[in-house]
Amino acid sequence: MKQFPASQIRNVALVGHQESGKTMLSESMLYTAGAIPRLGRVEDGNTTMDYDREEVARKISIHSGVAWCEHSGTKINLIDTPGYEDFVGDVLLALDVAESALIAIRADAGVEVGTDRVWGFVQDHGLPGLFVVTRMDKEHANFDSALEGLHEHFGHNVHPIQLPIGSGDKFRGVIDLVEMKAYEFEKDGKGGAKPIEIPAALKERAEAARKEMIESAAESDEKLMEKYLETETLTEEEFRAGLAAGVTSGQIFPVLCASPAHNMGAGLVMDAIVKYLPAADTGHHYTSDGKEIPSETKGAPAAYVFKNISDAHVGDMLVARVYHGTLTAGADVHNTTRNTAERLGQLYVVQGKNRQETNEIHAGDIGALVKLKITKVCDTLADKASGAVIRSTPLPTPSINAAIAPMTKGDDEKMGTGLHRLQDEDPTFDVVPNAETHQTLIYGQGELHLEIIVHKLKERFGVGVTLDKPRIPYKETIRKKAEAQGRHKKQTGGRGQFGDVWLRIEPLPRGKQFEFVDGVVGGVVPNKFIPAVEKGVVATMEMGVIAGYQMVDVKATIYDGSYHTVDSSEQAFKTAGSLAFKAAVEKASPVLLEPIVNLKVKVPDEFLGDVMGDLSGRRGKIQGTENVGRFAVVTAQVPMAELYKYSTHLRSMTQGRGSHTREISHYEEVPREIADKIIAEHKAAVEAANK
Ligand SMILES: Nc1nc2c(ncn2[C@@H]2O[C@H](COP(=O)(O)OP(=O)(O)O)[C@@H](O)[C@H]2O)c(=O)[nH]1
Ligand SMILES: [Mg+2]
């Protein structure tokens, strides 16, 4: 397998709103470069990047896809990411390992919510990049309005380095504003571009656009700026150097255009990637303790696993970016994230789902590893002595959950195995058994994410499951002090049972759980039976008294009672303790408690009013609001019971632009009417079960 030095590798993450043409543009670049034999189509389910069963069926990207091609002697590694918000984890991982981003936007739609979102990520990552306006052949394609949108949203350092010639079905080529040359594309061909005269009608516009670009290029460097201010121009050489410096440093984002479905424009996009975007040895990558990792092929390897491809034949294939040194097939390495030895199996370069064996993967490059024992996505493979772990962006915390259960009794284990595997493959998905509610909860990034998990369980692991509303882990407690007797007496033939207990119960502060005090004097209840009384109380608290939920924050004191020398036993006193406790609770104003969640909601300013109104409707208490750029962040405390599918609701309320995080805060009393309903439901369920 041919190896490229890092200076001749470009690792580019393709990001953008859903359906902005990323997958098709990848396909067009790969085909134009001769890396694949024909141009696949998203509609036909035969593209290089969308090969997963779910992707083919839904015609959308769900996972990032990795492929490469060679253009002008340079290896371009493309990481095609999904556009749906549910799969942002893959976008963040791709941006972590790439040196630059290619942001796709539709000529017939312009800047969309997802464009805004990925722009934020690209900025947070401090990455340079370029925009490609795709789908230029579409009926309502409008390059100028797309460009206007880019300026409006992302500022004036977004510069076209091309102007389209024609639009919609008349789109036929571009003017390259750097070279001041025009090209006509071969439609539905092999990706050729034939030099033509600049159309007279576009000349003036092209000159003006070029002048603006020169001005921006001058801004990339103080000396150039001085020169420009003096002479009002730059030499060709100065201009190009300034432009390249401006793009590489992330000050200038060039804009190009293309029609990937007709294989038009990809060659010039690749030219720009090679010319302007930074090489793999110039990106800044760090260990988690802040040391920069130099890009050198020699020395111990340091690589980061950012993707898992599960393959029916080879098993798990992990895709890794090598930062330092060289990965060699069969070599011993160390998983520094888990501090465990690991051995490499075969190595591959990947082309979507296809792979080619290779002996080595060098610093700067991307490749796949198989047969690793413990390594998972987000792990670092490095040398044991350094212990270095590669720094990565925190992935989003889950925003939605559901209770999952197998459709067929006895499929629990199968479901567990499947969920465990899926969790290993996807760091934004989580599985948590809830002992309190006896449900298995799955956590994800949105309804589509969970829906796809359900599909995969069926398709790959053969287990049908249902998703349900998670039960709320309410708790019970008391509000007053009360006393009661529990007397257990049974005479059946031979030896009877006798236990008699007086209990005093009183509320404890929230979170204190339980306290038991032995206040018996004079041995009216012998010492040896006291622990049995406590056991009876504890067991009753676990089961709940009023609505079947665990009771908490109660102090119980045994202060009186009586016993029988023959008939008393531990069992009898346990029962008596339980009876006394239940009787006391009835008199102690029992109440239900519910979990309250700390919620942070981030929305564009204009939705703030709606979101706050909605939160009040959910019994939320607003704690405060603050402004972060064009966004408002609301913090509120809201009962968990009111937040089922909140992320879906928030997205629809904010045109997909709101997001939220949550964490459990504390427990509070459930308002009377709501509590009455929950208690009534519990009683009905118990009666139904006893029938
Ligand atoms: N007419 C036309 N359609 C395109 C072009 N590029 C992509 N599409 C279509 O746009 C839709 C989204 O494309 P896709 O590459 O899956 O977008 P992604 O979600 O950003 O990966 C698909 O239906 C594509 O066939 C193009 O150049 N022209
Ligand atoms: Mg896609």
Side-chain angles (χ1 to χ4, degrees):
M1 199 72 229
K2 182 171 172 186
Q3 296 288 345
F4 293 76
S7 59
Q8 267 163 271
I9 297 175
R10 304 286 182 276
N11 295 306
V12 186
L14 278 89
V15 297
H17 190 78
Q18 65 220 36
E19 299 194 17
S20 55
K22 302 175 289 295
T23 298
M24 204 54 223
L25 179 59
S26 306
E27 190 75 6
S28 180
M29 287 194 268
L30 295 170
Y31 179 60
T32 300
I36 53 172
R38 65 185 154 71
L39 188 76
R41 289 188 186 283
V42 176
E43 279 67 24
D44 300 341
N46 60 356
T47 59
T48 309
M49 296 300 200
D50 286 357
Y51 53 81
D52 179 274
R53 224 188 316 214
E54 293 290 333
E55 297 181 314
V56 171
R58 291 165 199 264
K59 304 195 195 325
I60 59 165
S61 307
I62 293 167
H63 311 287
S64 58
V66 177
W68 70 281
C69 59
E70 184 176 344
H71 183 81
S72 300
T74 301
K75 182 178 191 183
I76 303 179
N77 285 319
L78 298 172
I79 310 170
D80 173 34
T81 67
Y84 283 84
E85 188 175 357
D86 288 29
F87 311 114
V88 292
D90 269 14
V91 178
L92 296 171
L93 287 167
L95 292 171
D96 272 352
V97 300
E99 277 76 37
S100 62
L102 185 162
I103 309 175
I105 80 165
R106 280 168 51 170
D108 53 341
V111 173
E112 298 174 85
V113 179
T115 326
D116 246 332
R117 185 165 52 233
V118 298
W119 172 260
F121 294 152
V122 170
Q123 295 291 301
D124 290 347
H125 275 76
L127 291 185
L130 51 79
F131 287 95
V132 177
V133 178
T134 62
R135 303 178 20 137
M136 277 303 300
D137 61 289
K138 290 289 274 193
E139 194 184 342
H140 297 291
N142 188 334
F143 182 81
D144 291 344
S145 92
L147 193 61
E148 221 170 274
L150 288 173
H151 284 156
E152 206 174 288
H153 283 81
F154 312 130
H156 278 266
N157 284 338
V158 173
H159 271 289
I161 59 168
Q162 295 180 338
L163 289 180
I165 305 175
S167 193
D169 58 5
K170 298 212 171 57
F171 175 66
R172 61 187 179 104
V174 297
I175 302 169
D176 176 335
L177 297 172
V178 181
E179 309 275 344
M180 274 315 245
K181 279 186 189 150
Y183 295 94
E184 188 170 79
F185 299 136
E186 184 189 359
K187 193 169 181 175
D188 299 314
K190 293 219 142 98
K194 183 178 78 180
I196 54 165
E197 284 286 305
I198 295 180
L202 291 172
K203 228 171 186 152
E204 206 174 308
R205 164 91 205 274
E207 303 273 336
R210 191 166 201 271
K211 194 162 180 333
E212 274 178 39
M213 213 168 42
I214 293 176
E215 207 171 302
S216 276
E219 279 169 17
S220 72
D221 184 295
E222 253 174 57
K223 278 209 191 94
L224 284 185
M225 196 65 216
E226 267 173 41
K227 162 95 194 291
Y228 182 76
L229 289 176
E230 259 170 45
T231 62
E232 277 186 34
T233 187
L234 297 179
T235 64
E236 268 313 285
E237 215 168 289
E238 286 168 336
F239 160 51
R240 283 177 204 207
L243 179 63
V247 177
T248 310
S249 65
Q251 278 180 58
I252 300 176
F253 275 71
V255 185
L256 294 88
C257 60
S259 168
H262 293 293
N263 203 32
M264 296 162 87
L268 294 183
V269 172
M270 289 190 285
D271 280 352
I273 290 176
V274 171
K275 243 189 254 175
Y276 301 117
L277 297 186
D281 59 350
T282 53
H284 298 281
H285 300 282
Y286 298 87
T287 60
S288 55
D289 50 10
K291 286 199 201 86
E292 186 159 0
I293 309 166
S295 174
E296 291 159 3
T297 312
K298 286 210 188 77
Y304 183 73
V305 175
F306 67 96
K307 176 178 167 58
N308 179 316
I309 304 174
S310 74
D311 185 294
H313 305 295
V314 244
D316 283 340
M317 201 153 63
L318 299 174
V319 187
R321 160 75 204 263
V322 182
Y323 293 101
H324 188 265
T326 298
L327 292 181
T328 312
D332 288 317
V333 289
H334 199 76
N335 181 320
T336 45
T337 307
R338 295 169 200 274
N339 194 16
T340 311
E342 183 71 277
R343 172 163 299 162
L344 300 176
Q346 301 291 9
L347 303 180
Y348 299 94
V349 282
V350 286
Q351 202 66 292
K353 68 166 182 256
N354 297 319
R355 56 183 185 274
Q356 259 181 301
E357 213 173 313
T358 181
N359 282 329
E360 295 183 335
I361 309 169
H362 290 186
D365 215 343
I366 285 172
L369 327 169
V370 294
K371 302 214 169 65
L372 297 197
K373 289 207 183 62
I374 48 130
T375 304
K376 305 204 171 18
V377 176
C378 295
D379 285 1
T380 298
L381 296 172
D383 115 62
K384 186 173 182 183
S386 80
V389 172
I390 286 160
R391 185 162 84 187
S392 54
T393 322
L395 293 174
T397 52
S399 63
I400 192 166
N401 65 5
I404 191 167
M407 278 175 184
T408 315
K409 267 213 166 108
D411 265 0
D412 287 270
E413 206 177 309
K414 239 166 136 186
M415 181 182 88
T417 312
L419 285 174
H420 197 73
R421 283 284 300 277
L422 294 173
Q423 189 181 10
D424 280 350
E425 290 171 19
D426 177 356
T428 65
F429 170 65
D430 211 359
V431 185
V432 185
N434 189 316
E436 228 172 288
T437 60
H438 308 289
Q439 286 180 318
T440 298
L441 298 182
I442 57 172
Y443 289 79
Q445 303 297 327
E447 279 187 71
L448 180 61
H449 191 196
L450 298 188
E451 187 190 315
I452 283 166
I453 296 284
V454 168
H455 252 250
K456 284 184 179 168
L457 284 170
K458 180 92 206 159
E459 296 279 322
R460 279 174 53 193
F461 302 96
V463 44
V465 296
T466 53
L467 293 188
D468 264 314
K469 197 169 168 167
R471 279 183 214 122
I472 304 298
Y474 293 107
K475 292 187 190 296
E476 302 178 1
T477 194
I478 52 166
R479 292 180 55 174
K480 309 198 300 213
K481 197 166 170 174
E483 293 172 348
Q485 183 185 24
R487 193 175 148 89
H488 179 59
K489 188 174 178 190
K490 229 176 190 173
Q491 206 66 53
T492 42
R495 204 175 130 183
Q497 289 181 44
F498 183 85
D500 174 24
V501 163
W502 277 90
L503 278 186
R504 178 183 313 120
I505 61 172
E506 53 206 300
L508 285 178
R510 221 37 13 103
K512 289 280 182 224
Q513 298 292 346
F514 177 60
E515 203 185 313
F516 187 80
V517 179
D518 175 5
V520 171
V521 279
V524 291
V525 174
N527 270 340
K528 62 176 180 183
F529 293 132
I530 303 286
V533 174
E534 181 174 353
K535 266 189 207 151
V537 172
V538 169
T540 310
M541 283 181 69
E542 278 306 314
M543 284 178 34
V545 177
I546 51 171
Y549 294 100
Q550 185 194 34
M551 181 163 278
V552 293
D553 304 339
V554 176
K555 175 176 168 183
T557 308
I558 172 169
Y559 64 93
D560 204 356
S562 63
Y563 75 107
H564 190 280
T565 39
V566 179
D567 290 346
S568 281
S569 65
E570 284 184 18
Q571 189 51 47
F573 269 98
K574 189 176 167 196
T575 308
S578 171
L579 289 173
F581 186 75
K582 279 184 198 161
V585 167
E586 297 296 336
K587 296 194 247 170
S589 296
V591 287
L592 272 185
L593 300 175
E594 63 180 341
I596 305 293
V597 165
N598 279 332
L599 196 70
K600 251 193 187 151
V601 188
K602 189 176 164 196
V603 291
D605 274 336
E606 65 260 38
F607 298 111
L608 183 60
D610 289 352
V611 166
M612 301 227 296
D614 177 72
L615 286 176
S616 307
R618 293 170 189 269
R619 300 192 279 127
K621 293 186 194 113
I622 309 285
Q623 313 272 295
T625 59
E626 85 189 289
N627 275 75
V628 182
R630 286 184 291 136
F631 285 85
V633 177
V634 189
T635 45
Q637 294 199 321
V638 191
M640 185 193 275
E642 303 286 341
L643 288 174
Y644 182 54
K645 290 195 177 174
Y646 181 67
S647 76
T648 307
H649 185 77
L650 180 65
R651 280 187 203 173
S652 72
M653 202 167 32
T654 59
Q655 294 159 15
R657 298 167 72 186
S659 60
H660 83 284
T661 59
R662 55 167 97 173
E663 58 186 20
I664 290 199
S665 167
H666 63 282
Y667 274 77
E668 262 176 36
E669 216 175 299
V670 179
R672 194 72 248 174
E673 305 111 72
I674 298 173
D676 286 347
K677 235 201 246 161
I678 298 167
I679 293 167
E681 272 166 24
H682 172 72
K683 281 203 176 121
V686 170
E687 271 164 30
N690 287 342
K691 256 187 198 155

